[in-house]
Amino acid sequence: MSAASSDLLTLVAGIFGVLILASAIGYVLQQRLSPTGSNASIENLNARIKAWWIMVILIGIAFVAGRIGVLILFGFCSFAALREFVTLINTRRADHWALAAAFFIVVPLQYYLLWAEQYGIFSIFIPVYAFLLMPIISVLRGDTERFLIRIAEVQWALMICVFCASHVPALLTLNIPGYEGRNVLLIAFLVIVVQLSDVLQYVWGKLFGRTKIAPKLSPSKTVEGFAGGVISATLIGAALWWITPFTPVQAGLLAFVITLMGFFGGLVMSAIKRDRGIKDWGNLIEGHGGLIDRLDSVVFSAPIFFHIVRYWWSL
Amino acid sequence: MTDFIAKAAAATIVVFARAVTAVRAIWSEEGLPSRPCIYFANHSSHGDFVLVWAVLPPRLRRQARPVAGAEYWLKSPLTRFIGSDVFNAVLIARDRDKRTEDPVAQMTSAIDAGSSLILFPEGTRNQSDARLLPFKSGIFHLATARPDIELVPVWINNLNRVMPKGEIVPIPLICTVTFGGALRIQPDETKDAFLERMQTALLALSPKPAGSGE
């Protein structure tokens, strides 16, 4: 067995252990406090844990399937996230072809470029080509009503849901000396640290949260939750150094950066939800809301993580 | 054999509709009537009844028949197959002068045979900026003929953005189908009062338009 797959196996065993523990706690809480399903927070907690099992298993299958599995998984995530985003933006009939192009050309092409390992065009395809061509497709219909808002929102949707999200599987294309064949573990590191940071912020906040950190944006986020979550996720990141090409200190620093990006990404996406008068982005994942609700922090941290690793570690 | 192809086609259409729209039903608190009833919905796309059909629980789905315009659905062999065989639609002639059968009689006989109906009382697809077109009187005559039948308002949201009239490529957007509580015609209710009440009940289910947050 190669080092990569034995590390992956250890990691999966660890994650399953955590999930089994979480399910056991959820079960005991339900038996004690909510035997009839009357306590909404406990029911939501259990729905979330159940959804985590499914997400972990899906990611696990993608990892086993290799590069193509990971690309397909994140390609579908981009598609579903874009669908949630575009549902909430201002579009008019004149944008029909531009939107069709976004879903059926831009998404597949962005992931195809990763498959073909064409990093140059991958990194500018959406910020340059889609940015220029999408408004051209829209303008051909001659509808100027709210034109700037419409094209800006579509571009934002593409940047967040496709461009930024595709930087998670882009980690597979990095060529790090001494780390060959193990890049999938970088994805695991990013996703585990960011998602655990979200979960730990929630847990610390529920246990000790007193002071609201951004009452206008997200009434459930507290200073105590933020500090506890970021510190504990940073420590967990440092403790996961063995799956990365980093030293423990470097792993901790990177974990710190991505948890911060994840936190602020969550705030930005909350602000958009407030603006549109909704609570969740969708209903795809039971207990969590939409896919973007779960992915927002990963999306904000992935490009930064990618570029830091690419600049300092990759050839 | 035709039956098998029709079932497979229905399943394919439902899977496709779900894949594009991730459609989600929002049920009323009192649930759906278990007896045959009339689902009446807003109409903005040819796919409307597919979405209602797709979200109904299988048992209720089997007894639900859409009411659709014969002119459109009998136009070609393919639309005829989809309309009659796949969705078992009650096809009514909209053109008063050309029709041989009374639409209300067609609908009541379907109800008497134990079917539920999916009805679009606006009569035609709404292409205007108004949220709802004035209802045609068919639903009133139907309710008068079968005063015990329950009428369930159903608001289909966003499908008009998925595939506006004249477009051929659907845009994936999330759609919802909201079911209201069951209503009945009241004794001595006038046509205008009844239609007004039904329109109000349906409009009450419509959410604020998406993307209006400026």
Side-chain angles (χ1 to χ4, degrees), chain B residues 40 132-135 194-204:
Chain B
F40 66 100
L132 207 55
L133 298 174
F135 281 9
F194 173 78
L195 293 180
E196 180 65 37
R197 191 159 65 90
M198 294 299 122
Q199 294 179 45
T200 310
L202 183 52
L203 270 178

Side-chain angles (χ1 to χ4, degrees), chain A residues 79-80 83-84 86-91 93 95-97 99-100 103-104 141 146 149 275-276 281-284, chain B residues 18-22 24 158 161-174 208 210-214:
Chain A
F79 180 86
R83 181 169 62 183
E84 287 175 359
V86 173
T87 300
L88 293 174
I89 66 179
N90 293 279
T91 62
R93 276 200 56 189
D95 302 315
H96 199 86
W97 281 108
L99 291 172
F103 279 99
F104 301 118
R141 293 260 189 117
R146 291 196 275 187
I149 292 177
D275 174 26
R276 293 297 136 105
W281 284 96
N283 295 276
L284 196 69
Chain B
R18 282 189 173 277
V20 171
T21 67
R24 180 172 62 100
N158 243 0
R161 285 176 71 206
V162 169
M163 203 151 162
K165 191 184 184 185
E167 305 289 354
I168 42 173
V169 179
I171 305 282
L173 293 172
I174 295 170
K208 281 186 298 182
S212 64
E214 334 172 60

Side-chain angles (χ1 to χ4, degrees), chain A residues 22 26-27 29-30 34 37-52 55 199 202-203 206 220 279-280 282-283 285-290 293-294:
Chain A
Y27 179 76
L29 282 176
Q30 192 189 30
S34 176
S38 53
N39 186 325
S41 333
I42 290 177
E43 294 308 306
N44 179 260
L45 178 73
N46 281 324
R48 278 175 184 244
I49 294 170
K50 229 179 262 169
W52 270 119
M55 289 188 276
V199 172
Y202 171 86
V203 172
K206 284 265 165 196
S220 60
K279 195 180 149 289
D280 290 325
N283 295 276
I285 316 174
E286 181 151 17
H288 296 258
D293 291 292
R294 196 62 284 128

